[in-house]
Amino acid sequence: MKVFGVDIGGSGIKGAPVDLERGDLADERFKVLTPHPATPDAVADRVRQVVDHFGWTGPVGATFPGVVTDGVTRTAANVDPGWIDRNAAALLAGRLGGDTGGCPVTILNDADAAGLAEMHFGAGRDRTGTVVVLTFGTGIGSAVFADGKLVPNTELGHLELHGHDAEKRASTKVKDDEDLSWQQWARRVQKYLAHVEMLLSPRLFVIGGGVSRKAEKFLPLIEGVKAEIVPAQLQNNAGIVGAAMAARAALKDGPAAPAGAGAPPGPAAATDADAAATSQAGWPADP
């Protein structure tokens, strides 16, 4: 069975049809840049561009870099605050399907989607106990599993460590922005993993996002973490695969947001300045 998956990120929006028997892309993915500002309407237009590239008219699963409950996006740390309390599933369904009913949409947190894919097809397959999947990119996404069951919307990238937002010090974007060496960045990731381990005591960390393709450059540099640490096997395609998995599950459990439903905004949302504009000023200096 093929279902379309779209992964909405802070820097890029990518998607492809997914073969859910194999857990892999059925066609080469297509990617566009995330608009800036990443307003709901602007992002929806780019999602439509990705879906239209393949001429797709069936169910669509989409990820979002924030908390998602019942198709509504509740936070927006790395995109425009207009997403807060927006019925994103209805927005995308209306943009993709119009009045044709062609593209029902299921939307979920981006790291949760990546985690679902890794637990079913990748590095977390058949693993029990607590598993934490972390995606490093524009921010740090997290997916927590207890004996294979997802605890949704954990957002561990926003944990405070030494008084600062973790993803503002240890994301891949920060590595690039500050021109950190692999050793310097690994030291920051190590501090972050040790903090998460103290809180959750996982058996396994799965490290995802685009940087997982270069795992050999930084994972061997991480010391003092008791849990096993492995790179994601689906790498940067995990979000697309997980989004398609969620769309298929929605077909079984009940309808997703109907195409053509429109997308009225949710309650008026104030900008969460504390969450969206956390200082990047440092943790204690690296030894």
Side-chain angles (χ1 to χ4, degrees):
M1 179 181 183
K2 294 182 182 179
V3 178
F4 202 93
V6 178
D7 191 7
I8 299 172
S11 59
I13 299 170
K14 54 189 180 290
V18 176
D19 183 337
L20 289 175
E21 300 303 317
R22 297 186 298 113
D24 199 1
L25 306 189
D27 292 289
E28 184 176 354
R29 73 186 188 188
F30 180 68
K31 181 177 180 178
V32 298
L33 294 178
T34 302
H36 293 287
T39 63
D41 285 332
V43 169
D45 284 340
R46 298 292 173 88
V47 171
R48 182 176 61 186
Q49 182 181 352
V50 171
V51 175
D52 285 351
H53 175 80
F54 295 90
W56 185 265
T57 57
V60 172
T63 76
F64 179 77
V67 172
V68 181
T69 57
D70 299 322
V72 177
T73 48
R74 301 297 187 186
T75 64
N78 292 307
V79 289
D80 188 84
W83 285 98
I84 298 173
D85 291 330
R86 188 68 182 260
N87 189 335
L91 168 66
L92 294 177
R95 194 62 55 91
L96 297 177
D99 295 327
T100 68
C103 292
V105 174
T106 303
I107 189 164
L108 72 163
N109 174 267
D110 57 350
D112 286 349
L116 288 171
E118 285 295 329
M119 292 298 290
H120 193 76
F121 295 110
R125 186 172 184 177
D126 298 325
R127 297 298 295 259
T128 59
T130 302
V131 177
V132 178
V133 180
L134 297 169
T135 57
F136 288 80
T138 304
I140 300 175
S142 64
V144 176
F145 295 84
D147 290 329
K149 295 183 179 180
L150 173 67
V151 181
N153 293 311
T154 49
E155 292 288 272
L156 298 181
H158 299 297
L159 285 173
E160 285 192 11
L161 187 57
H162 302 303
H164 297 282
D165 195 355
E167 71 173 23
K168 300 299 182 183
R169 290 289 291 164
S171 68
T172 307
K173 181 178 186 299
V174 170
K175 179 188 182 305
D176 294 340
D177 288 349
E178 298 185 16
D179 195 24
L180 300 175
S181 69
W182 287 108
Q183 179 69 56
Q184 291 171 318
W185 187 64
R187 193 172 298 144
R188 295 190 184 191
V189 174
Q190 176 180 305
K191 291 179 181 180
Y192 172 64
L193 294 181
H195 188 57
V196 175
E197 183 172 59
M198 180 271 295
L199 294 171
L200 298 178
S201 300
R203 292 182 181 178
L204 176 68
F205 283 112
V206 178
I207 306 301
V211 76
S212 61
R213 295 192 299 267
K214 302 176 181 178
E216 75 283 355
K217 294 183 178 292
F218 67 94
L219 286 189
L221 303 175
I222 295 175
E223 301 175 341
V225 177
K226 296 179 181 178
E228 183 182 357
I229 310 171
V230 299
Q233 292 181 8
L234 279 71
Q235 298 182 346
N236 215 20
N237 289 335
I240 297 173
V241 174
M245 291 173 63
R248 179 177 64 176
L251 291 176
K252 294 179 179 179
D253 296 339
T271 302
D272 188 348
D274 291 337
T278 303
S279 171
Q280 292 195 32
W283 288 343
D286 294 329

